[in-house]
Amino acid sequence: MVPTGLSQARDKAGRIRVPELRCQITMSRRVAFACLLLAAIAFPALAAPPLLTPAELAARTANPEVRVIDIRDAAAYANQHIPGAVSAPYGAWRGPAGNPGELPALPKLTALVQRLGLTPQTHAVVVSSGADATDFGASARVYWTLKVLGLKELSVLNGGMAAWTAAGLPQDSVVPTVAASTYSPTLDAGLVATRDELVALVGTGKATLVDARPAAFYHGETRHQAAKVPGTLKGAVNVEHATWFRPGTSTFVSADEARKLAAAAPLDPARDTVSFCNTGHWAATNWFALSEVLGQKQVKLYPGSMVDWTQDPAALPMDHVPSRFEQLATDFRFWVARTFD
């Protein structure tokens, strides 16, 4: 029977043809396909949020694809940790003492992520102590390193273990058994600013160079002990890493608050941006704020930062470099601290 309302026609063999019905079926399939395609574009798979509250993390710990990475020292982890968390102390993610901001060699980082059982499907949640804003920088630096290694599903526990403990959530001392992965990462150079790249950028005005250190470092009043010269990159602006936290805590502000803070700072979200500090630790917080929380494109981290910059045999361009006498006074203070502390 031909559906009501459709005209009938017969072919030479006397069979009924219903072209209108075939047309409707064909069009319906095309419309359905188009709808599915539009839905896929408009509603892509949701990525992990960059920040999780303790309650949000607690709701996810039963998921086998979630891996909590505790970056505190081994003794703190052994005492008490989030159930199911694996231990990967912050030092394992850092470079040598002479240039601690330098990325470790890729084979070392590969062995580390494989030991932790990480794959691109893993939602890795980085947990530090939550002691203060500087402590948050450790979480942000590990998060950045994992992203450089090609992992995308990443979060930081906002407030660290201090916030987890304050929320009264469970802890234990059980060391979980985690199957090693075979993931072989490659470095995403788009997230990393090199010294050579910065040599070409400094003084050109083509990018915003953001110094995350406290003002005394930016103005050349002190320096990191491994840096050769006090001061900052030529043309850099100063946005202290502690800007993004609720006063006196290691709790990162909301995205709305972060937008207001960024608007009040000397930052232009339309420009390429490079975050740096002494050793790529405080700078990781600024990178995290701009790239992950605010979604700014083209934000890089200079991992070696001022230690790497000042160790170059050439006198690379800098601002706020104090006089030789003032530098000798800083050296003397460091000598006193090493000798009598």
Side-chain angles (χ1 to χ4, degrees):
M1 178 179 292
V2 179
T4 304
L6 292 181
S7 62
Q8 299 184 34
R10 294 181 181 272
D11 60 18
K12 292 180 180 179
R15 291 172 297 194
I16 295 175
R17 291 185 288 111
V18 284
E20 293 88 346
L21 178 59
R22 287 177 182 170
C23 181
Q24 285 187 10
I25 291 172
T26 302
M27 289 302 295
S28 296
R29 287 175 178 169
R30 289 176 180 170
V31 169
F33 176 77
C35 289
L36 289 172
L37 182 61
L38 288 172
I41 296 171
F43 303 103
L46 294 177
L51 288 165
L52 290 176
T53 66
E56 289 169 338
L57 176 55
R60 290 167 166 80
T61 53
N63 185 341
E65 292 294 342
V66 173
R67 183 65 35 82
V68 179
I69 303 173
D70 190 322
I71 64 170
R72 298 175 300 159
D73 63 72
Y77 172 83
N79 182 40
Q80 288 279 278
H81 53 256
I82 295 171
V86 293
S87 178
Y90 183 49
W93 305 91
R94 301 287 277 164
N99 191 355
E102 181 181 319
L103 267 172
L106 182 57
K108 179 182 177 182
L109 290 172
T110 298
L112 180 56
V113 298
Q114 288 181 349
R115 176 179 70 79
L116 298 173
L118 301 181
T119 72
Q121 290 71 46
T122 308
H123 177 187
V125 183
V126 185
V127 178
S128 60
S129 72
D132 51 29
T134 290
D135 175 78
F136 184 95
S139 289
R141 175 63 191 241
V142 172
Y143 178 114
W144 172 82
T145 303
L146 291 171
K147 192 162 186 177
V148 168
L149 294 172
L151 300 177
K152 306 296 184 185
E153 298 298 310
L154 301 168
S155 301
V156 168
L157 174 60
N158 200 4
M161 282 301 297
W164 182 272
T165 302
L169 293 167
Q171 301 181 45
D172 63 28
S173 57
V174 178
V175 178
T177 300
V178 175
S181 76
T182 58
Y183 176 55
S184 296
T186 56
L187 298 180
D188 182 353
L191 298 171
V192 185
T194 65
R195 184 198 297 172
D196 288 344
E197 181 181 356
L198 281 171
V199 168
L201 279 175
V202 163
T204 66
K206 293 180 179 179
T208 302
L209 310 180
V210 185
D211 190 334
R213 300 174 300 169
F217 287 93
Y218 175 74
H219 290 294
E221 297 164 9
T222 188
R223 61 172 173 81
H224 189 280
Q225 292 198 18
K228 300 297 184 183
V229 183
T232 189
L233 295 181
K234 188 170 184 61
V237 298
N238 189 205
V239 180
E240 293 190 29
H241 70 104
T243 297
W244 311 101
F245 299 89
R246 294 174 188 166
T249 76
S250 63
T251 301
F252 207 94
V253 298
S254 69
D256 286 341
E257 291 175 277
R259 273 188 284 273
K260 293 175 184 176
L261 292 168
L267 300 171
D268 182 351
R271 289 166 57 85
D272 290 354
T273 301
V274 177
S275 180
F276 71 95
C277 57
N278 287 319
T279 65
H281 177 103
W282 287 327
T285 296
N286 277 2
W287 171 86
F288 182 88
L290 299 176
S291 173
E292 306 303 282
V293 176
L294 298 179
Q296 182 177 331
K297 305 299 183 184
Q298 301 301 319
V299 183
K300 293 185 177 184
L301 173 67
Y302 178 23
S305 290
M306 291 309 301
V307 168
D308 180 71
W309 187 259
T310 60
Q311 287 181 355
D312 191 284
L316 297 177
M318 292 178 61
D319 283 338
H320 307 315
V321 177
S323 69
R324 183 58 185 158
F325 175 79
E326 291 170 314
Q327 292 185 51
L328 289 172
T330 298
D331 292 345
F332 178 73
R333 290 197 301 272
F334 285 153
W335 177 82
V336 170
R338 287 194 301 268
T339 304
F340 298 103
D341 278 3

